[in-house]
Amino acid sequence: HRRDGYALAASPLPVTRMVDHSQLRAVASQTLSRLHADTGLVVHLGVLFGGDVVYLDKVAGRNSAVVPTRVAGHTPAHASALGKSMLAQLPAEDVDSIVGPRLTRCTRATIGDLPTLHRELARIRSRQGLAYDNEELAIGLTSVAAPLRSDDGEIAGLSLSGAVPLHRLQRTAPFVVRAARHISGQ
């Protein structure tokens, strides 16, 4: 904010990496809200930015404080179902260059090395991109995620998260897959 009004601030993102995701958010908005209403869980829409997930949207209702994320915030991709679902869409050599040789641990359950990450990504690929996270990002938090792909090849992801047992999230997987397909189709 300046004396004469508002101005666009300098961004820490390199200009070549700045992408307008407003169309994706607009297309996904109604589906995200419906998924939250149907499950009562926190819904995220995110994209990869280097080795991180950047959250484009979060529909949480009264459960917002349970899940420590925010729109425009970021978390390590290898430590969340959302990030792993997107990483699994990439070739192994791209994953290596994106996440780098050192994987930050958020909890004791976080994947801490590349060979283990590649085994997990292979399992995710065998499930057509469906990924799970059992207390990898935060203690007491579980997630299920599926990738989104646009016609131009852009990768994004959709997840459900909450402080619920993993078996409950596994029952919501068909909802996540269906929602991801719907958004990708639009």
Side-chain angles (χ1 to χ4, degrees):
H1 183 256
R2 301 185 317 202
R3 283 189 307 210
D4 60 336
Y6 288 92
L8 185 62
S11 172
L13 305 177
V15 174
T16 58
R17 294 295 307 262
M18 291 173 52
V19 178
D20 180 9
H21 295 288
S22 59
Q23 184 179 5
L24 172 60
R25 289 186 68 214
V27 166
S29 178
Q30 187 175 10
T31 302
L32 301 179
S33 295
R34 191 170 356 156
L35 193 55
H36 170 69
D38 290 346
T39 65
L41 297 169
V42 176
V43 184
H44 290 107
L45 177 68
V47 293
L48 282 176
F49 184 77
D52 289 339
V53 170
V54 174
Y55 297 98
L56 301 179
D57 209 342
K58 177 181 180 179
V59 182
R62 67 181 188 277
N63 296 322
S64 185
V66 173
V67 181
T69 57
R70 63 180 173 78
V71 173
H74 60 90
T75 57
H78 70 279
S80 70
L82 185 55
K84 292 186 298 184
S85 71
M86 292 184 282
L87 288 173
Q89 305 305 301
L90 302 172
E93 55 275 357
D94 289 354
V95 171
D96 290 349
S97 67
I98 288 171
V99 299
R102 303 182 82 152
L103 304 181
T104 305
R105 286 182 162 248
C106 300
T107 71
R108 296 176 112 193
T110 306
I111 294 172
D113 60 85
L114 282 173
T116 304
L117 177 61
H118 284 296
R119 286 192 296 275
E120 175 66 8
L121 296 179
R123 283 190 288 276
I124 293 166
R125 287 182 196 103
S126 73
R127 294 188 301 254
Q128 284 74 48
L130 193 62
Y132 295 97
D133 141 21
N134 189 10
E135 299 188 5
E136 292 176 48
L137 185 59
I139 300 208
L141 185 67
T142 57
S143 297
V144 59
L148 308 171
R149 222 183 236 287
S150 66
D151 288 340
D152 62 2
E154 185 75 22
I155 300 171
L158 170 71
S159 71
L160 282 177
S161 302
V164 296
L166 187 59
H167 70 274
R168 178 174 173 213
L169 273 180
Q170 289 170 329
R171 290 193 306 250
T172 66
F175 295 109
V176 175
V177 170
R178 186 171 40 243
R181 286 185 182 147
H182 178 73
I183 294 168
S184 292
Q186 289 187 324

